[in-house]
Amino acid sequence: MDELKKSGNEPLKTQFYEIAKLYKPFLDILCDPEKQKFYRSKYQYKGFELSPSPIIYQPQILFLGYNPAGGRDWDILQSKEYKLLNPHFEECKPTFFRRHSARNGEWYELNKQCIAPFPRKMVDLLYKLAALVYPDKNNERGTNQEPFWAKDLYEGPMSLMFLNLYPIATPSGSELIKLCNKLRKENNVPEKWKKNEWEVRRYMVHIMHRIVELLQPKLIVCLGAQTFHDYTYTERKKHALEDILTYGSHIIGFSRRGAWEKNLDNIAYAIYERIQSTKS
């Protein structure tokens, strides 16, 4: 796969989007105008967003989220005039780096008002990780300037990608499960879906495993215990806030229940320790 080693190259993107075609059974239902209207009304469907951060081969870190929660198309969702939600497969900045996502301004303007807790905590985590990766440099926290290490986020010692395990946007994980339980009862769906709603989600997990096999990240960081257990096909358990969940040598996760920002130092060190161990 030598032709894939250059970040963001066309052969890699071509293969990535070929795998993404496997989401077609979902799109056939959720992009149908009448079906979408029903799922938005009854199951709080907010869009279909794979929306990968810039696609790169062998990133140091693949952050794997659960699902896109409230969706990206706020203008459409809040409009009095009903409009169809189109799926998002295009490359884009991770949600925590988008303007007016973490804070009321740019993500690095740390004195600005916090808008959404999750993006803000992810930015804080990356500042803590940068302090470990670059111990001899000022990570420029609090300067309201884009830090020097931002240039390394797609090619360098902190190169990263962000994807959601389940691209179906719903306000919560419980709403996603309800929606998947309805999807399995639709006509012309894969036979396995009919067994239970987990088989619907498992179909998406399988696609993500195919994507990971293509990208070959050095480390996968599952954002939340539910994401960790679903991706690794392991039994769900309750975890202490300070726990670092591990599966093999290159998959970790942590609980996002409660005040998980108190665990950011521990999470940052766990990531740092593992990406250091993968250096050739």
Side-chain angles (χ1 to χ4, degrees):
M1 300 181 74
D2 289 344
E3 73 279 7
L4 300 182
K5 290 182 179 179
K6 185 178 178 181
S7 67
N9 67 19
E10 292 309 313
L12 180 64
K13 292 180 184 180
T14 298
Q15 293 187 43
F16 181 94
Y17 286 114
E18 193 63 31
I19 295 172
K21 290 179 181 179
L22 295 172
Y23 290 112
K24 185 177 183 298
F26 298 96
L27 300 178
D28 286 347
I29 298 169
L30 296 173
C31 292
D32 175 87
E34 290 303 315
K35 291 285 187 181
Q36 184 179 119
K37 195 169 186 178
F38 170 78
Y39 277 91
R40 285 167 65 174
S41 172
K42 300 294 184 181
Y43 292 92
Q44 299 194 58
Y45 172 68
K46 304 295 184 183
F48 194 95
E49 303 179 18
L50 184 59
S51 296
S53 59
I55 300 167
I56 54 178
Y57 183 60
Q58 292 186 333
Q60 291 291 330
I61 308 162
L62 171 62
F63 285 112
L64 193 59
Y66 190 72
N67 81 323
R72 192 200 308 182
D73 292 318
W74 280 100
D75 55 338
I76 295 177
L77 292 168
Q78 298 300 316
S79 175
K80 293 181 180 179
E81 180 185 357
Y82 183 87
K83 294 181 180 179
L84 193 70
L85 294 170
N86 292 315
H88 290 288
F89 284 91
E90 69 278 8
E91 292 177 283
C92 61
K93 289 182 179 180
T95 180
F96 37 88
F97 290 144
R98 295 174 196 162
R99 184 173 174 80
H100 300 308
S101 181
R103 289 176 172 84
N104 188 21
E106 299 294 348
W107 61 271
Y108 47 80
E109 295 180 303
L110 304 185
N111 67 332
K112 297 290 183 69
Q113 180 184 5
C114 174
I115 293 180
F118 171 70
R120 187 260 301 169
K121 292 173 188 177
M122 288 301 299
V123 168
D124 288 348
L125 174 60
L126 289 171
Y127 269 101
K128 291 179 181 294
L129 179 60
L132 295 170
V133 174
Y134 304 98
D136 299 326
K137 293 185 179 182
N138 183 339
N139 71 10
E140 300 173 330
R141 186 184 182 94
T143 65
N144 283 349
Q145 301 295 317
E146 186 174 48
F148 74 89
W149 47 265
K151 70 181 187 309
D152 292 336
L153 291 176
Y154 305 121
E155 190 168 9
M158 280 179 60
S159 61
L160 63 85
M161 276 194 66
F162 177 83
L163 288 166
N164 280 299
L165 183 59
Y166 304 120
I168 299 173
T170 57
S172 67
S174 61
E175 294 296 339
L176 175 67
I177 289 173
K178 291 176 185 176
L179 188 151
C180 289
N181 196 43
K182 175 59 180 174
L183 282 175
R184 75 182 185 87
K185 299 172 185 176
E186 293 279 0
N187 296 324
N188 302 316
V189 296
E191 191 63 30
K192 286 185 177 181
W193 289 17
K194 298 176 182 179
K195 183 177 180 181
N196 53 51
E197 65 81 23
W198 163 239
E199 290 297 336
V200 181
R201 287 186 292 123
R202 188 172 182 172
Y203 188 97
M204 290 183 274
V205 175
H206 173 71
I207 296 173
M208 187 54 63
H209 277 273
R210 291 278 303 273
I211 290 173
V212 167
E213 185 179 359
L214 172 68
L215 298 176
Q216 295 187 28
K218 302 295 182 64
L219 176 68
I220 299 170
V221 180
C222 296
L223 304 176
Q226 191 168 3
T227 306
F228 175 85
H229 289 300
D230 284 5
Y231 181 74
T232 58
Y233 300 122
T234 52
E235 183 182 356
R236 294 184 188 180
K237 302 176 182 178
K238 288 185 178 181
H239 300 280
L241 187 64
E242 66 273 13
D243 288 350
I244 298 296
L245 316 180
T246 60
Y247 187 86
S249 61
H250 71 288
I251 303 175
I252 66 172
F254 56 90
S255 174
R256 283 177 51 200
R257 291 190 179 277
W260 62 277
E261 65 270 21
K262 295 179 180 179
N263 197 30
L264 290 181
D265 286 318
N266 188 30
I267 297 167
Y269 186 76
I271 295 172
Y272 170 73
E273 190 176 43
R274 284 161 179 79
I275 61 177
Q276 288 296 106
S277 70
T278 63
K279 287 184 176 179
S280 54

